[in-house]
């Protein structure tokens, strides 16, 4: 499966990673963002990853140039009109995603697949009221997209079987390990992961242990690759908080999913992890 034209909406942490994965597999990619600074950041990210690949002998200099040339960086959603599929990776907000899908369903060909990388929001709601809802599905990559093998293929109430199978096989062609999930808040992984973050935050609130101590116990003694706080910093505390809020609301305010005020305050302060230079830990800006 090579040679598709793929639109990616949102050039942040996930969008830039997904765009790179697709470009490296021979697809033409249009990476779209409303913020030109994010497009510049994505360009620099591509250059640095591809240069490292050349240095390590994984690809030739010519391949690097060809992958880079296969990506166009655009600020206008309308440029995605001829795409065979579009993968949306903007902020985890239902109103924003709905408005983007409304535009995409008007701009794009009726047979183009419209996919969302949402971590937790309802695919059924995103597709609700739009024409051809059978082509709207979740295609949920994990962070960092070029490294993590898992992709959840999420079927909303009106998503088509044929389309879901195509997305599943497309994920395989990208070298990923897809899994089908039905449309429930947080799907599989983010539902399982909520207690990991939430309970760690409660331990912190109760002053049982500190941030570094909790991370260290879970990684060094617990065998987790990353502790709950360093992982939130990597994901983005804003994104993580939005996912927790969405899962909490999706489960009709079940106490076990209740968000933490510590996380809320970090978002309010703008100390949202690595991307802001500060979260639970400090980073070089
Ligand atoms: P991010 O904050 O890094 O990037 C979001 C991007 O969307 C920004 O560049 C922003 O400028 C852009 N944007 C905002 N409004 C836009 C619009 N109207 N049109 C085009 N671009 C717009 O966020 P992220 O971490 O990449 O998360 C994106 C999505 O992926 C979310 O739905 C999130 O839940 C999901 N996700 C995140 C992770 C993670 O670990 N960060 C993992 C899996 C899935």
């Amino acid at each position: 499966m090579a040679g598709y034209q793929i639109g990616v909406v949102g050039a942040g942490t996930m969008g830039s990673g997904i765009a790179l994965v697709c470009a490296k597999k021979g697809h033409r990619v249009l990476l779209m963002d409303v913020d030109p600074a994010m497009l510049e950041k994505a360009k620099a990210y591509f250059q640095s990853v591809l240069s490292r690949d050349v240095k390590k002998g994984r690809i030739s200099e010519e391949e690097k140039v060809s992958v880079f040339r296969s990506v166009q960086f655009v600020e206008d959603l309308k440029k995605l009109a001829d795409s065979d599929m579009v993968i949306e990776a903007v902020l985890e907000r239902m109103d924003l995603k709905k408005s983007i899908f409304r535009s995409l369903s008007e701009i794009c060909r009726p047979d183009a697949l419209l996919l969302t990388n949402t971590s937790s929001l309802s695919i059924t709601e995103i597709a609700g009221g739009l024409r051809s809802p059978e082509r709207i599905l979740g295609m949920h990559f994990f962070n960092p997209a070029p490294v993590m093998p898992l992709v959840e293929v999420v079927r909303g109430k009106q998503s088509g079987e044929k389309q879901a199978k195509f997305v599943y096989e497309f994920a395989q062609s990208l070298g990923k390990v897809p899994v089908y999930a039905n449309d429930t808040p947080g799907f599989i992984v983010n539902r399982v992961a909520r207690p990991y973050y939430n309970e760690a935050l409660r331990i912190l609130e109760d002053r049982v242990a500190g941030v570094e101590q909790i991370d260290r116990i879970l990684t060094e003694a617990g065998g987790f690759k990353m502790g709950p706080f360093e992982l939130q910093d990597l994901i983005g505390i804003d994104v993580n908080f939005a996912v927790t809020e969405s899962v909490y609301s999706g489960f009709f305010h079940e106490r076990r999913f209740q968000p933490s005020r510590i996380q809320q305050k970090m978002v309010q302060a703008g100390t949202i992890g690595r991307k802001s230079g500060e979260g639970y830990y400090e980073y070089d800006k």
Side-chain angles (χ1 to χ4, degrees):
M1 279 196 192
Y4 286 118
Q5 179 159 314
I6 301 174
V8 177
V9 186
T13 309
M14 293 308 292
S16 55
I18 294 167
L20 184 61
V21 170
C22 295
K24 277 180 138 182
K25 288 288 177 183
H27 301 287
R28 280 165 288 125
V29 178
L30 283 109
L31 181 55
M32 183 267 160
D33 203 294
V34 284
D35 183 351
M38 293 307 287
L39 292 173
E40 285 309 312
K41 209 170 153 192
K43 275 184 206 168
Y45 162 72
F46 276 43
Q47 285 292 359
S48 103
V49 173
L50 293 170
S51 299
R52 199 180 55 212
D53 284 351
V54 172
K55 224 173 173 177
K56 294 204 166 169
R58 294 186 192 130
I59 57 169
S60 65
E61 186 62 38
E62 293 72 47
E63 282 169 313
K64 171 187 157 180
V65 173
S66 136
V67 171
F68 194 75
R69 282 214 185 119
S70 66
V71 186
Q72 264 179 272
F73 300 85
V74 301
E75 287 174 48
D76 184 0
L77 199 67
K78 291 199 184 81
K79 294 253 168 72
L80 272 49
D82 289 330
S83 303
D84 298 301
M85 69 183 91
V86 177
I87 307 171
E88 167 278 317
V90 303
L91 309 172
E92 188 75 344
R93 267 180 31 212
M94 181 54 87
D95 59 334
L96 187 57
K97 295 202 192 273
K98 280 185 91 154
S99 101
I100 286 173
F101 275 79
R102 202 175 308 120
S103 304
L104 287 173
S105 73
E106 282 157 19
I107 294 166
C108 296
R109 293 194 322 254
D111 64 325
L113 285 170
L114 305 182
L115 311 170
T116 171
N117 187 52
T118 180
S119 307
S120 63
L121 297 169
S122 164
I123 311 301
T124 307
E125 187 175 351
I126 291 172
L130 299 184
R131 74 182 166 140
S132 313
E134 67 284 350
R135 52 146 167 194
I136 300 176
L137 292 106
M139 185 178 191
H140 182 212
F141 293 78
F142 290 80
N143 185 11
V147 177
M148 298 295 280
L150 185 64
V151 170
E152 291 177 330
V153 178
V154 189
R155 292 171 297 205
K157 193 169 188 298
Q158 295 171 283
S159 305
E161 272 307 310
K162 197 175 77 188
Q163 288 83 351
K165 188 167 176 285
F166 181 89
V167 177
Y168 188 97
E169 287 168 4
F170 175 65
Q172 283 179 319
S173 77
L174 295 177
K176 300 296 178 192
V177 180
V179 58
Y180 285 119
N182 280 331
D183 189 19
T184 50
F187 319 125
I188 303 169
V189 173
N190 270 301
R191 181 165 169 183
V192 170
R194 273 326 91 193
Y196 187 58
Y197 306 113
N198 278 354
E199 215 47 53
L201 283 156
R202 282 184 195 123
I203 287 170
L204 188 66
E205 270 164 13
D206 290 346
R207 296 169 194 257
V208 180
V211 166
E212 286 172 38
Q213 204 181 1
I214 298 169
D215 276 349
R216 215 173 51 240
I217 288 163
L218 283 160
T219 50
E220 287 177 18
F224 284 85
K225 266 205 170 139
M226 291 181 87
F229 295 102
E230 49 180 347
L231 193 49
Q232 286 176 64
D233 274 1
L234 174 78
I235 289 165
I237 299 171
D238 54 338
V239 174
N240 197 276
F241 182 61
V243 173
T244 303
E245 277 192 307
S246 131
V247 172
Y248 181 54
S249 134
F251 280 105
F252 307 111
H253 301 125
E254 274 189 35
R255 163 83 178 112
R256 65 192 166 123
F257 294 118
Q258 192 173 38
S260 156
R261 211 176 294 285
I262 293 181
Q263 235 188 7
Q264 183 192 40
K265 287 247 153 56
M266 307 277 288
V267 176
Q268 286 169 345
T271 51
I272 53 176
R274 287 190 194 196
K275 61 185 170 186
S276 69
E278 189 187 338
Y280 297 104
Y281 298 92
E282 293 205 350
Y283 305 87
D284 285 340
K285 294 223 172 182

